[in-house]
Amino acid sequence: NAGVTQTPKFRILKIGQSMTLQCTQDMNHNYMYWYRQDPGMGLKLIYYSVGAGITDKGEVPNGYNVSRSTTEDFPLRLELAAPSQTSVYFCASSLIQRYSSERLFFGSGTQLSVL
Amino acid sequence: KQEVTQIPAALSVPEGENLVLNCSFTDSAIYNLQWFRQDPGKGLTSLLLIQSSQREQTSGRLNASLDKSSGRSTLYIAASQPGDSATYLCAVAQGGSEKLVFGKGMKLTVNP
């Protein structure tokens, strides 16, 4: 059982380049999330999805885009990379049903540097 | 706006001590609260989830309690071991929201 898989693990971008961070989960979870973690700042929610075809903004969505065409996949797109986007990115998923929820499962993260 | 606070930011203890980690939140209308562990360079692992209707959850040497009215949760670690060294984060799911709000975490070091 792979859980939540993120690729790549590390990436260096030049300012203005674009890239897609991949995330896939094999637990049939309906909710998926993208967070960024900056040193000493905790985790900030970028975007989330409550199911295929449905996405919504989190706290810090500027500079990012997402799509959710399948239950399994939730890629995060950076269109014009900026130094402020240097961070560690985590994808997560959960099964949330009416009146109950399960634990949040995280991927191992993508360390991104924009130079 | 929900705010989650973990104090202190770091703690260093000798092996064998029983530990209490604190988490406070400003809005008591939460759906659930989770405690996570993060090892350096790794993702977060959910340790315990407490639903809003529950008072505590236990897993092995870990026990988490929740007091919604006072906006507090504690994570109790019994007989700490060097392998418990990690950063511990708490997060609350706001009632009516699918989004978790995280604390900044507490870095725990257990010395042999």
Side-chain angles (χ1 to χ4, degrees):
Chain A
N1 192 347
V4 180
T5 302
Q6 286 184 243
T7 57
K9 291 189 182 300
F10 303 95
R11 185 71 184 268
I12 298 174
L13 286 181
K14 294 182 179 179
I15 294 173
Q17 287 185 322
S18 58
M19 76 164 293
T20 299
L21 281 66
Q22 301 292 344
C23 176
T24 186
Q25 53 91 9
D26 62 1
M27 298 173 282
N28 202 31
H29 284 171
N30 50 350
Y31 282 67
M32 296 188 74
Y33 309 81
W34 275 104
Y35 289 91
R36 59 177 287 171
Q37 184 177 38
D38 301 309
M41 298 300 292
L43 279 84
K44 300 293 184 183
L45 181 64
I46 305 171
Y47 271 95
Y48 68 101
S49 168
V50 302
I54 306 170
T55 63
D56 205 350
K57 297 178 180 179
E59 297 175 80
V60 290
N62 292 342
Y64 307 94
N65 279 299
V66 294
S67 61
R68 182 105 181 262
S69 57
T70 66
T71 299
E72 295 79 17
D73 301 308
F74 190 41
L76 177 71
R77 178 83 176 165
L78 283 70
E79 291 294 349
L80 293 171
S84 61
Q85 294 176 306
T86 293
S87 187
V88 181
Y89 291 84
F90 289 103
C91 179
S93 73
S94 183
L95 179 65
I96 297 179
Q97 299 171 321
R98 192 174 177 83
Y99 303 125
S100 72
S101 59
E102 294 188 0
R103 297 179 184 184
L104 197 60
F105 288 80
F106 278 81
S108 57
T110 296
Q111 187 169 328
L112 176 67
S113 295
V114 182
L115 305 174
Chain B
K1 179 183 176 184
Q2 177 74 272
E3 293 185 0
V4 180
T5 303
Q6 294 182 249
I7 296 174
L11 183 65
S12 182
V13 298
E15 181 177 7
E17 281 201 3
N18 298 323
L19 305 174
V20 176
L21 283 61
N22 296 304
C23 172
S24 61
F25 46 94
T26 54
D27 188 344
S28 62
I30 65 170
Y31 192 58
N32 61 49
L33 182 145
Q34 287 187 68
W35 281 94
F36 294 87
R37 169 184 173 138
Q38 186 176 27
D39 294 289
K42 301 292 178 74
L44 283 71
T45 300
S46 180
L47 299 171
L48 290 164
L49 181 151
I50 309 176
Q51 303 288 356
S52 62
S53 58
Q54 297 175 323
R55 296 283 292 181
E56 65 179 293
Q57 281 286 332
T58 299
S59 177
R61 293 183 295 110
L62 305 179
N63 176 276
S65 66
L66 174 63
D67 185 343
K68 278 179 51 179
S69 61
S70 66
R72 293 181 181 179
S73 176
T74 59
L75 178 66
Y76 177 82
I77 303 177
S80 59
Q81 304 170 357
D84 295 328
S85 298
T87 296
Y88 291 82
L89 299 92
C90 67
V92 298
Q94 197 67 18
S97 169
E98 300 82 7
K99 296 170 283 189
L100 271 69
V101 179
F102 281 82
K104 294 182 178 180
M106 193 209 77
K107 184 176 181 180
L108 174 66
T109 303
V110 181
N111 301 299

